[in-house]
Amino acid sequence: MGGPTVLVEVAGWRLLTDPTFDPPGRRWSFGWGSSSRKLTGPALPVADVGPVDAVLLTHDQHGDNLDEAGRALLASVDTVVTTPSAASRLERPAVGLTPWATTELAAPGRPTIEVTATPARHGPPLSRPIVGDATGFALRWPGQDDGVLWISGDTVLFGGLREVARRLRVDTALLHLGRVRFGITGPVDYTMTARDAVRLCRELRPRAVVPVHYEGWSHFTEGREAADREFARAPDVHRTVHWLPLGVAVGADG
């Protein structure tokens, strides 16, 4: 859909990550003097998304991961899974998971999906009191032959992601990239670069890599072209990367 927002359809389930559907133009504050302007709107308006069974919210405190239209959408969703701190702030019940805690999505006639929170650090060491908590998610359901679907969430490359590589067999990795930076904090990264992703993927060894969270906002400093040049320098990783067309459904094999 654009930014971090992805609709995952599997076995009758419709799961939405980090809903962001506001129009472009607004500048959002991210605290401590940092801010960003939304440059492009969603690939689909929220009215065209259809019913959503669950939202996987990596964090709630930044407008590029949950905006006003996204918050309104939460009221129509059966389940929201997020961090404990976000769950305490939302105006509706939500499941807050600490790293490696698990919940299940269950419904008659559908396979149960196990959702496990994975570590994320949305900035440099010791930045958590400023930037707040974030999380990734690993999704497991019956019939997966080659591992879980893993959503990194907004995170830099750190030891917690290497723990993911040690503990999980990952088939498909949705990686939040973009090399988020703010002028006020200088050359400090708040999400992964493509070079970070290459290092991580050589440990994860996923079958497929889907980059998200790299376009549509002024604080993304590494877009698709720059990231793809970096991936091209690592052919072993580059051949696993799939850039999804925005607003278009793509099958697991496409």
Side-chain angles (χ1 to χ4, degrees), residues 28-243:
W28 291 77
S29 171
F30 289 82
W32 291 79
S34 62
S35 67
S36 181
R37 183 177 299 279
K38 189 170 187 179
L39 303 176
T40 61
L44 288 178
V46 67
D48 291 352
V49 173
V52 173
D53 298 302
V55 164
L56 305 175
L57 180 62
T58 65
H59 60 298
D60 73 317
Q61 65 268 29
H62 299 145
D64 63 323
N65 294 83
L66 183 66
D67 57 19
E68 291 183 358
R71 287 182 184 276
L73 173 71
L74 297 185
S76 66
V77 174
D78 291 337
T79 305
V80 177
V81 186
T82 187
T83 66
S85 57
S88 71
R89 289 188 292 262
L90 295 177
E91 296 179 355
R92 55 141 299 151
V95 178
L97 297 180
T98 57
W100 302 114
T102 295
T103 190
E104 291 185 342
L105 304 176
R110 302 179 194 170
T112 296
I113 297 180
E114 181 184 273
V115 180
T116 300
T118 59
R121 195 184 77 202
H122 197 358
L126 306 179
S127 63
R128 191 181 303 274
I130 298 173
V131 300
D133 294 326
T135 188
F137 298 104
L139 307 185
R140 181 180 285 107
W141 58 83
Q144 287 176 323
D145 296 326
D146 298 309
V148 300
L149 167 63
W150 179 55
I151 303 162
S152 72
D154 283 13
T155 183
V156 295
L157 182 61
F158 77 117
L161 298 194
R162 294 187 171 94
E163 185 182 4
V164 171
R166 290 194 301 270
R167 294 179 60 158
L168 296 178
R169 183 183 179 191
V170 175
D171 174 72
T172 301
L174 268 66
L175 300 185
H176 289 216
L177 303 182
R179 194 180 69 174
V180 165
R181 288 184 175 182
F182 301 98
I184 195 169
T185 56
V188 176
D189 295 337
Y190 292 89
T191 58
M192 281 190 286
T193 66
R195 184 171 297 181
D196 294 331
V198 167
R199 294 171 181 155
L200 177 61
C201 287
R202 284 175 170 162
E203 298 186 47
L204 286 174
R205 301 178 67 183
R207 180 184 59 84
V209 175
V210 177
V212 298
H213 193 267
Y214 59 85
E215 49 70 45
W217 288 81
S218 63
H219 64 319
F220 295 159
T221 66
E222 186 180 69
R224 173 173 173 170
E225 289 186 8
D228 209 35
R229 286 195 299 269
E230 189 65 42
F231 288 136
R233 297 187 183 102
D236 55 324
V237 173
H238 191 231
R239 62 174 171 260
T240 70
V241 175
H242 300 266
W243 296 94

Side-chain angles (χ1 to χ4, degrees), residues 18-33:
D18 289 350
T20 54
F21 291 97
D22 282 4
R26 175 176 172 181
R27 178 169 290 278
W28 291 77
S29 171
F30 289 82
W32 291 79

